[in-house]
Amino acid sequence: MSGTTYDFDLFVIGGGSGGVRAARRTAALGKRVAIAEEFRYGGTCVIRGCVPKKLLVYASQFSESFVDAKGYGWTVGERSFSWSELIANKDREIDRLERIYRENLEKSGAQILKTRAVLEGPHEIRLIETGKVVTADKILIATGSRANPHPDLPGAEHCITSNEAFHLKRLPQSIVILGGGYIAVEFANIFLNLGVETTLVYRGKEILQGFDDDLRHELHQAMAKKGVRIRCEDLLKEVVQKADGRFEAHLASGDVLDADEVMLAIGRKANTDDLGCEKAGVELDARGAVVVDDYSRTSAANIYAIGDVVHKLQLTPVAIHEAMCFVDSVFLGKPTKPDYDLVPTAVFSHPEIGTVGATEAEAAREFDEIEVYRAKFRPMKNTLSGRDETMLVKLVVDAASRRVVGAHVLGPDAGEMAQLLGIAVKSGLSKDDFDRTMAVHPTAAEELVTMYTPSYRIRKGEKLAA
Ligand code: NDP
């Protein structure tokens, strides 16, 4: 069959950030494109991830702002919080964003299908809604991922994941969260600041594995001081429902915690179940994620996969970047590999983390000698408010080339700073470039360009005074 005899030039399975971007861009090139989504357009990010999470983060920050206001002369009257109002407002905003996603798709000329779609062969896709089989020259799998359900845990059926956390009928009085990654840490902070008694149970030595150790430690201390009970090197062994409907979380340490809700935040699993990958010759890895080459191409020559379903970096901007590279490679004749190097990222905890590049430990392993510039200080906003919370700013520099190879911030607006630090570190700027950049005063970010002498060095793994 030649390209024109297929029903479509491109069939996209999955209407999340990656799938929608690829469909829109390809349709705009005049190609015949269809996109199938069984649930809602926008995917994890818009419907049950980044966007609703950030709205909940904003909601949760007010409790601290009300307290801080006093030092600035304000008398804040009686306060009350309505979880149901927050959730209703959040849902309205998500509806609005979903509409925009659909409208943009419609404008692009892509055919929008509301159905689950599965592979029947390398060029054949079955639309489950009607049972009809359509054909496409190229197929893009962008089905995303879902919260790992932890089937080995007795009582897992009693637990919620982030999906349900966005739709709880009422705010729990107490919650136990399993996990020490992005979602566990962000939700622990959201719930605590909304007044929920919060316990985080993490199997490792320190939360947020993979982030700079300094930030992990400082964030742990800050969260614990605010009241999150953090239980490292412990595990959830069983969840039992009590007669009153509440739960007992049984831990490996032997402790039993009472809670209104138990939440699992232990990573995400690729959505490849019953997708027909074997019928189409698409190879999966041991975790069920689609295996792709450097150009997002699967083991079937005409089928590609992007986003969370490939288990590389499960981040929205990465999925969108992969979509752009896919269209360049496949429809514009410009073979383009997605670039996974130096991806900035943020954890929307209280305080926030913003980071890009090598951690101190990674850089110490990679380079003969590194310089670490580190400043820990009380941000100005915390002076009159009396808030006893410090900020940490850290630059990791390769001593030989002077290049800043890692930048890490813990504190207010760290996520916003990470975006700009991402440009500097990605561009390979040197510490001297940072030094000759004028400070913006008075800001917390000015510390990034005013740390003139290293706090310490690490030469061949040995920590030395500067
Ligand atoms: P993460 O991979 O960040 O963290 C998973 C956590 O669960 C880790 O602490 C891991 O421990 C622990 N874990 C895994 N399996 C088990 C188990 N069987 N028992 C106990 N603990 C376990 O995943 P999340 O679910 O937090 O988030 C999913 C992805 O979504 C993230 O990787 C991130 O890419 C993305 N995300 C990004 C956000 C952002 O950009 N701000 C926000 C939220 C999500 P260990 O460390 O020991 O492996």
Side-chain angles (χ1 to χ4, degrees), residues 341-342 357-358 363 366-367 369-373 395-407 424-434:
D341 196 28
L342 297 171
E366 188 178 339
F367 300 101
E369 181 174 334
I370 59 167
E371 293 173 351
V372 177
Y373 297 78
L395 295 178
V396 181
V397 177
D398 167 29
S401 68
R402 306 282 300 140
R403 197 160 58 85
V404 177
V405 294
V425 176
K426 185 83 183 164
S427 307
L429 297 189
S430 71
K431 181 63 172 62
D432 308 314
D433 294 317
F434 276 63

Side-chain angles (χ1 to χ4, degrees), residues 13 118-125 139 141 275-283 298-303:
I13 308 179
V118 299
L119 299 165
E120 282 289 330
H123 291 278
E124 295 75 29
I125 308 108
I139 297 173
I141 303 173
L275 191 60
C277 288
E278 46 322 311
K279 287 188 189 166
V282 172
E283 190 193 331
T298 72
S299 51
N302 66 307
I303 303 182

Side-chain angles (χ1 to χ4, degrees), residues 53 150 178-184 186 202-204 209 235 265-268 313-315 345-348:
K53 181 276 307 291
H150 206 344
L178 179 67
Y182 282 88
I183 295 180
E186 291 182 342
Y202 174 51
R203 64 184 180 183
Q209 191 185 171
L235 266 181
I266 56 168
R268 298 180 66 83
L313 280 176
Q314 295 180 320
L315 297 170
T345 185
V347 182
F348 295 101

Side-chain angles (χ1 to χ4, degrees), residues 41 92 94-104:
Y41 278 88
R92 246 195 314 280
I94 301 307
D95 289 347
R96 186 183 72 85
L97 292 174
E98 189 195 2
R99 260 198 315 280
I100 292 173
Y101 257 72
R102 288 187 64 97
E103 282 165 12
N104 284 340

